[in-house]
Amino acid sequence: MAKYNVTYSCGHEGTVQLFGKADARDRKIKYYEEYGLCSECYKKQKQEENAKLGFLIGGSVADTLSEKGEIQICLFFAGDTLPYKEEIKALGYRWTAVDASQMAYMHKPDMGWVKVVPYEHLEEEKEKAFAIGAKEAEISDRELANQKERYQEMLSEQKLFRKRNKKKLEAQKQLADLLPEKPECIRDG
């Protein structure tokens, strides 16, 4: 481990901490000098890319069912999200790590605004996103085919879930049928 002063490709200087063998460190320094950007230039480049990309909403079929056996969709905002931060938070999205497979057809940020919703709520959630100015992200034919395949896999998982949990689901339905929708004191008030 050692610290090195480097001149990035943008012309700015900085200090980097490198690990590994000397030849690997030399390759890394050469990379910084030919292609690397200082943190300020990198940040500016990302802001420009995001502004060019626009304010987008995308989604993918989640890898797991909900606790109720529902197919879930992982929705995420991408692109120029900073001006919409408060509106995004108000919609219930969290700033969290984004799985790269969820961003296969968009730029791949390490972090993003993410919300997991049942498939049945997808259109409603998209309408909320459109209402604050988001546009739907374009998806490649290949990614669309992957998502359709994933949806079919999750339908199969859902059938197995329902088969395994049939008695439990029936008991929950019976209980729900016995309970009033709202207590009387709330209905009038």
Side-chain angles (χ1 to χ4, degrees), residues 6 16-19 22-34:
V6 296
V16 294
Q17 189 171 5
L18 300 175
F19 301 87
D23 59 337
R25 290 187 233 171
D26 290 340
R27 280 194 306 272
K28 191 69 170 180
I29 291 169
K30 185 176 179 181
Y31 171 84
Y32 284 134
E33 292 173 343
E34 291 181 21

Side-chain angles (χ1 to χ4, degrees), residues 1 27 61 67 77 106 109 118 134:
M1 172 186 86
R27 280 194 306 272
V61 177
E67 291 179 5
F77 285 101
M106 296 165 59

Side-chain angles (χ1 to χ4, degrees), residues 41-95:
C41 288
Y42 178 79
K43 183 178 178 180
K44 183 178 178 186
Q45 179 186 38
K46 285 297 175 189
Q47 288 171 342
E48 290 170 358
E49 288 175 4
N50 287 339
K52 184 178 177 184
L53 189 61
F55 179 45
L56 303 175
I57 181 80
S60 65
V61 177
D63 293 338
T64 58
L65 297 174
S66 72
E67 291 179 5
K68 298 177 183 178
E70 300 165 312
I71 295 174
Q72 301 181 107
I73 304 295
C74 183
L75 293 173
F76 45 85
F77 285 101
D80 195 18
T81 61
L82 187 58
Y84 304 93
K85 178 180 176 179
E86 295 307 317
E87 291 94 332
I88 293 170
K89 286 169 50 176
L91 292 177
Y93 286 75
R94 293 180 313 132
W95 183 255

